[in-house]
């Protein structure tokens, strides 16, 4: 298992800079007053392809040798990693094969196709996904870019907190959502090198709290099929992300489904930004643990904005 | 009738700077490709109180003498001017009375109260609004800050395009929605002084196209109670805004209700920003008149983001 280093983050940043946005950091006097802290929202919902995942995906795609790039890339994902890898592969002009469950939202499939991704559908089960993916990879020879358990992907995600620290002149705490742990691992990698005193807090839905339980137990606990509105956070930690989480994360906080929805709606209302349920989890945990954050400078990573606008969770 | 000058805009900018945001200018490669133009979105939805109107309102409130400020301020408004004046009066610590149509979005009424404004409701027509307001003003003696037909307000709104021109190093066209004409008049005032070659295009709902018909006829035509989703654009031009519109506006374009809703949803989806139906009208007219904008650098003023998130027009 290769553990990426901060040099990999620096190389990633140089490699992906032409293909990503340096996303803005927004502040809100409303939320500052509400929490009694200074919050800095790193808006990856404004990122290319609508999510931070384009950082890691671009690093993998543009880091391939000419020879390896010929076969293109391949992955399995029903979400933002599929869009991001399709986007990056499209920019490089190489094929991108994505295995998606046939039950994935049509809008997501359309977006993947819009970026030039080639979809092969599987049944919505782990066994079908793995079986179909093995066939696709055997046929295409595409380089497998895992959504998070890949050193190239983690190094790419690490560029986000590097920008955040530059844009804010430093913070006391960085908080980000945790699913498979790619963003948190990139954050750990960067901050443990350039700001080792900065606390790193992961935020997770109560109904998909496998990372929280892993963190407490000291080993990976993976759930079969957690159910949460934060659909980007259902996947389990893997060995590489567990390495970073277990070594560098200060704390994991959780929020209920209603707290997540309330934080999501409140952010749309007060900050006028469209963000996913998954990235509302950090703010939800901040609002229920104000004492933990009071008086601190807090970086909050808004991980994505790819929302189905036709089915908002507060409109029944 | 006092016609404000560019010196009034400069004085306004200095006066209101501590109370407003210098809002960001966002770009979107998606929309640039779609239109074949370079679009610069001036995001007043991120402004204090959620709308550009805080510029004019703050200029009026903070320009009052100590003596005049004692009675506070009063106005009638379909929404954003009400919240903006309440916000500015609250910052100065003086009372603010507002007459609002009973049909105004609940989000706006709540926000007015949140800023300390005192609401009196009227029927949703210009005649009812003026009648109820006369009663309120007689009772309170507050300084009347008209939502748009006031030189202090127009000078304040003129600060927006001043920032836009600085942030973009100039554009060929500025397009903004037109209701009563306050933003357009401020834009005319500023651009006719600092960028007289820049075209100024106003955008209006087909179902509230009184400014369009006035522009064609050469005199003010006022409708009493137009019906449109763009609730900020129902009010008619008045003599001061007509002065600027008739002298400096290049063109007025209109869009249907469905075109407005489609542009609104598409902006939320692609740019991840929450903006009102009223400020979706410019983009709606750009999308239906692409030839008019192709190859140009176009400033698009996103006037506000105070949306009732419980009743979105594309969710039935």
């Amino acid at each position: 298992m290769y553990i990426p280093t901060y040099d990999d983050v620096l190389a990633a940043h140089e490699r992906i800079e032409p293909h990503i946005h340096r996303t803005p950091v927004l502040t809100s006097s409303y939320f500052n007053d509400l929490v009694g802290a200074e919050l800095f929202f790193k808006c990856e919902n404004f990122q290319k392809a609508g999510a931070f995942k384009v950082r890691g995906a671009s690093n993998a795609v543009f880091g391939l040798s000419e020879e390896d790039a010929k076969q293109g890339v391949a992955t399995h994902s029903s979400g933002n990693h599929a869009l991001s890898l399709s986007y990056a592969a499209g920019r490089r002009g190489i094929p991108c094969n994505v295995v998606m469950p046939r039950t994935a939202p049509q809008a997501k499939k359309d977006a993947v196709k819009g970026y030039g991704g080639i979809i092969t559908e599987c049944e919505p089960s782990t066994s079908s996904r793995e079986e179909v993916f093995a066939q696709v990879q055997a046929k295409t020879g595409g380089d497998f870019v895992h959504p998070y358990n890949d050193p190239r992907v983690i190094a790419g995600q690490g560029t986000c907190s590097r920008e955040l620290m530059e844009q804010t002149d430093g913070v006391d705490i960085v908080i980000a959502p945790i699913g498979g742990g790619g963003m948190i691992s990139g954050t750990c990698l960067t901050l443990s090198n350039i700001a080792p005193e900065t606390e790193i807090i992961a935020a997770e839905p109560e109904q998909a709290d496998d990372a929280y339980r892993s963190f407490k137990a000291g080993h990976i606990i993976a759930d079969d099929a957690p159910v949460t509105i934060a659909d980007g956070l259902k996947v389990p930690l893997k060995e590489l992300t567990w390495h970073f989480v277990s070594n560098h994360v200060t704390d994991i906080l959780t929020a209920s489904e209603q707290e997540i929805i309330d934080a999501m709606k409140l952010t749309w209302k007060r900050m006028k930004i469209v963000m996913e349920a998954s990235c509302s989890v950090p703010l939800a945990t901040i609002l229920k643990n104000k004492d933990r954050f009071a008086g601190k400078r807090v970086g909050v990573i808004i991980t994505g904005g790819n929302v189905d606008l036709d089915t908002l969770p507060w409109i029944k």
Side-chain angles (χ1 to χ4, degrees), chain A:
Chain A
M1 182 172 78
Y2 175 72
I3 311 264
T5 67
Y6 188 60
D7 280 345
D8 293 322
V9 176
L10 295 176
H13 219 163
E14 199 178 335
R15 184 178 291 130
I16 69 179
E17 219 148 37
H19 311 291
I20 64 163
H21 287 307
R22 183 181 173 91
T23 54
V25 171
L26 297 186
T27 59
S28 160
S29 53
Y30 172 80
F31 280 118
N32 286 350
D33 290 348
L34 193 61
V35 180
E38 246 187 304
L39 306 182
F40 299 90
F41 296 89
K42 175 68 169 162
C43 287
E44 291 289 295
N45 52 332
F46 296 151
Q47 188 51 271
K48 288 282 181 191
F52 78 89
K53 297 245 178 190
V54 83
R55 295 174 182 269
S58 298
N59 189 41
V61 164
F62 286 94
L64 289 175
S65 70
E66 282 301 318
E67 190 59 30
D68 289 342
K70 281 179 189 158
Q71 274 73 48
V73 287
T75 197
H76 50 72
S77 158
S78 57
N80 285 332
H81 179 64
L83 305 189
S84 298
L85 196 66
S86 302
Y87 163 84
R91 297 270 296 204
R92 186 158 179 185
I94 63 175
C96 176
N97 276 278
V98 182
V99 171
M100 296 179 84
R102 62 170 171 75
T103 51
Q106 191 59 43
K108 280 259 157 75
K109 294 180 190 168
D110 290 346
V112 167
K113 286 180 199 160
Y115 287 125
I118 304 149
I119 298 172
T120 305
E121 291 192 349
C122 65
E123 292 303 306
S125 71
T126 304
S127 53
S128 170
R129 187 194 68 204
E130 287 176 355
E131 188 189 328
V132 173
F133 181 74
Q135 292 166 3
V136 166
Q137 210 193 358
K139 202 170 96 184
T140 65
D143 188 281
F144 178 31
V145 183
H146 190 280
Y148 51 92
N149 199 48
D150 183 313
R152 304 168 296 178
V153 170
I154 290 172
Q157 319 307 32
T159 62
C160 180
S161 48
R162 182 174 181 236
E163 290 176 13
L164 173 66
M165 296 306 267
E166 285 173 3
Q167 291 167 304
T168 57
D169 293 325
V171 291
D172 303 312
I173 301 172
V174 171
I175 183 167
I178 188 162
M183 168 51 76
I184 279 288
S185 293
T187 304
C188 289
L189 172 52
T190 293
L191 296 185
S192 64
N193 278 277
I194 66 172
E197 72 293 347
T198 297
E199 292 189 77
I200 299 162
I201 299 182
E204 195 174 35
E206 274 173 20
Q207 291 188 191
D209 67 344
D210 55 285
Y212 171 79
R213 283 178 290 124
S214 303
F215 189 69
K216 295 293 176 195
H219 58 84
I220 297 178
I221 296 171
D223 290 336
D224 250 3
V227 174
T228 171
I229 178 120
D231 63 336
L233 307 181
K234 292 176 178 177
V235 288
L237 296 169
K238 296 268 186 187
E239 64 271 24
L240 195 50
T241 52
W242 173 245
H243 165 83
F244 286 102
V245 169
S246 58
N247 281 294
H248 299 294
V249 164
T250 313
D251 211 349
I252 299 185
L253 302 174
T254 62
S256 71
E257 297 295 291
Q258 192 57 51
E259 288 162 346
I260 295 167
I261 294 169
D262 289 348
M264 181 181 178
K265 188 180 179 188
L266 192 59
T267 311
W268 288 42
K269 181 178 175 183
R270 300 303 306 219
M271 293 187 65
K272 322 296 181 189
I273 61 174
V274 170
M275 67 178 198
E276 297 173 22
S278 297
C279 50
S280 310
V281 183
L283 189 64
T285 66
I286 290 172
L287 293 176
K288 73 185 284 195
N289 296 281
K290 289 178 191 165
D291 289 352
R292 180 79 176 77
F293 298 90
K296 300 284 175 70
R297 291 166 57 84
V298 185
V300 183
I301 299 178
I302 305 290
T303 45
N306 293 322
V307 174
D308 183 349
L309 293 172
D310 292 317
T311 56
L312 297 174
W314 57 81
I315 301 181
K316 303 297 176 194

